[in-house]
Amino acid sequence: MEPDLAVPPIYSPLRSAIHPRHVAIDAHTATWAETFSIGSPELRSQLVRSDIGTFAARIFPEGREEVITIAGDFMLWIFGVDDGYCEEGELGTRPGELQSALQRLIRVAQNPEAPMLVDDPLALGLRDLRHRMDRHGTPVQVTRWVEALSAYFQAVVWESFHRVQGTVPSLNDYTMMRMNDGATPIILPMLEMGYGYELQPNERDHTSVRAIAEMAHFIIGWDNDILSHHKEHRTGGYYLNAVRVLAEEYRIGHGQALITAIAYRDRVMSLFLRMAEWLKTGCSPQLRQYIESLGDFIRGAQEWEITSVRYTTPADPADLPSTFRDTPTDDNPAPLDIPAISWWWDLLPDLQDANASHGAAYGPSVPAPSFLHPIAQRTA
């Protein structure tokens, strides 16, 4: 077994915030889990003690409580699927059967009126979530939620194939798949619902906006890999995370791989912050809120993971930080040598020479991106 790794404070100059009703929200999620019997009694007990509702309250510190409870319940549900089906259950080593089971759940999400899995607790919980989504979200938001759930299921089946074969994917493939494997894209439509707006397609689907969302997926996923490494490798079974992938890719020890993982996520965090400031100079109030919510999502995940028993594992304590640092371990503005994401750096205009090595703000002469439709741009 690999040695335990002490995780140092990670770079996070983002605000720390939580919804004032976080205690009630967490209690609601615990009750919801019991009502729908999510997972085995043992797994459900573990999930209820993990403060997942509190995590949701950190993502939406000023959001609508009814939407925050949907997010909290859904995240507990997805852990029930991930832990119960994919990692700890028998289906986790049977990719074909796992794919079939997950596709049946997708059909329930698409059409909750379909007479399928009528006695299955996960399906019953999913139907409840879908009905509540319909009440508080638009058809476009609900459709995006279902599509993101389907992409997540595809990613966990991909991971299942590696689990069966005992293989570790390349760094590029892992980076690409981790952004869906972490299930973070499924929360994005809820970021809009939580504050009562819907992004226009010309904003939401703009290349730079898609990129900053992917940066958030990357940071959240790699932070989870870094902070959950103790929990995962101590099980003695197969596990897949960024630390292990980097160790295999570069033929280095896990201690050096941890340092490398932190440096890589710091470079993406630095880019995220610069991209956020640039986009905010020319966007709508709705897009500004969306970008701020991405930051709350990143910081909320970090604070939840260093405090939740899911990752601190009190019976076998993990050496996790209790604070965050204000400066990156690596602020190199050059792109990471990972083809799946290196194009992110190409979206930003060049920094002024005096600021390039410090990740400072862009000069006043640099225009913000236009979110007008291309046809409208030609006639504006």
Side-chain angles (χ1 to χ4, degrees):
M1 182 178 289
E2 305 143 17
D4 284 331
L5 302 177
V7 180
I10 57 177
Y11 173 50
S12 185
L14 300 166
R15 71 165 183 169
S16 174
I18 191 168
H19 195 279
R21 293 269 299 162
H22 63 92
V23 174
I25 291 166
D26 192 60
H28 176 280
T29 294
T31 300
W32 185 87
E34 295 294 345
T35 299
F36 287 92
S37 300
I38 303 300
S40 67
E42 180 181 1
L43 173 59
R44 185 161 64 251
S45 175
Q46 294 172 358
L47 295 176
V48 165
R49 289 185 285 109
S50 295
D51 300 325
I52 296 171
T54 302
F55 178 17
R58 292 187 183 280
I59 299 173
F60 307 85
E62 295 97 17
R64 295 157 47 182
E65 185 174 345
E66 60 271 26
V67 176
I68 304 173
T69 59
I70 297 174
D73 297 349
F74 171 71
M75 288 191 292
L76 186 142
W77 183 90
I78 208 77
F79 280 124
V81 172
D82 192 53
D83 292 355
Y85 268 20
C86 306
E87 293 190 2
E88 300 171 12
E90 294 181 355
L91 290 181
T93 55
R94 300 173 185 171
E97 293 179 37
L98 175 63
Q99 185 170 31
S100 295
L102 296 178
Q103 285 305 306
R104 287 191 286 271
L105 287 174
I106 281 295
R107 192 57 181 166
V108 171
Q110 292 170 331
N111 298 94
E113 64 274 15
M116 297 172 55
L117 305 176
V118 294
D119 296 318
D120 183 271
L122 286 174
L124 293 173
L126 185 58
R127 281 191 174 88
D128 175 73
L129 290 165
R130 169 59 199 267
H131 290 316
R132 291 157 65 194
M133 294 278 290
D134 286 337
R135 289 198 297 272
H136 298 289
T138 68
V140 170
Q141 290 167 339
V142 174
T143 297
R144 287 169 50 217
W145 177 74
V146 174
E147 290 174 347
L149 181 62
S150 180
Y152 162 73
F153 283 166
Q154 293 173 28
V156 298
V157 171
W158 166 83
E159 183 178 349
S160 176
F161 276 105
H162 280 286
R163 183 181 296 109
V164 170
Q165 297 168 6
T167 53
V168 177
S170 69
L171 175 60
N172 186 64
D173 282 356
Y174 179 76
T175 301
M176 177 177 62
M177 297 302 291
R178 184 67 172 109
M179 289 186 285
N180 279 320
D181 189 31
T184 52
I186 318 173
I187 301 298
L188 298 195
M190 299 185 198
L191 299 184
E192 299 174 31
M193 294 180 204
Y195 289 93
Y197 67 90
E198 181 178 79
L199 280 181
Q200 294 302 305
N202 289 331
E203 288 187 313
R204 183 186 65 244
D205 298 331
H206 190 282
T207 302
S208 296
V209 178
R210 288 191 297 105
I212 197 172
E214 289 187 357
M215 293 174 208
H217 303 329
F218 178 98
I219 296 165
I220 293 168
W222 280 51
D223 284 349
N224 179 260
D225 287 353
I226 291 164
L227 296 170
S228 69
H229 183 266
H230 172 90
K231 169 184 178 289
E232 292 186 334
H233 95 272
R234 295 289 285 181
T235 64
Y238 178 87
Y239 74 96
L240 183 60
N241 71 20
V243 175
R244 185 176 186 189
V245 169
L246 288 167
E248 292 285 333
E249 183 86 4
Y250 298 135
R251 297 293 188 264
I252 56 179
H254 283 252
Q256 185 60 45
L258 173 64
I259 293 171
T260 304
I262 292 172
Y264 280 17
R265 61 81 61 199
D266 282 4
R267 285 170 66 173
V268 176
M269 174 68 89
S270 297
L271 180 65
F272 173 88
L273 296 169
R274 294 198 296 265
M275 179 69 84
E277 289 306 308
W278 184 54
L279 289 174
K280 286 179 183 178
T281 62
C283 69
S284 68
Q286 292 79 15
L287 181 54
R288 177 178 289 270
Q289 175 61 64
Y290 180 77
I291 294 169
E292 291 175 355
S293 292
L294 291 175
D296 288 335
F297 192 4
I298 293 170
R299 180 61 181 245
Q302 294 164 342
E303 294 197 325
W304 175 63
E305 286 163 4
I306 66 172
T307 57
S308 173
V309 296
R310 180 176 177 84
Y311 302 106
T312 61
T313 58
D316 179 19
D319 195 351
L320 301 182
S322 59
T323 60
F324 299 93
R325 56 182 291 157
D326 297 325
T327 57
T329 63
D330 185 345
D331 61 356
N332 186 343
L336 290 174
D337 187 19
I338 304 176
I341 64 172
S342 60
W343 60 273
W344 291 343
W345 281 262
D346 296 334
L347 298 174
L348 285 170
D350 292 336
L351 289 169
Q352 294 180 354
D353 291 342
N355 295 331
S357 64
H358 302 291
Y362 290 99
S365 62
V366 178
S370 173
F371 295 105
L372 289 175
H373 188 280
I375 295 176
Q377 291 183 41
R378 292 198 294 269
T379 58

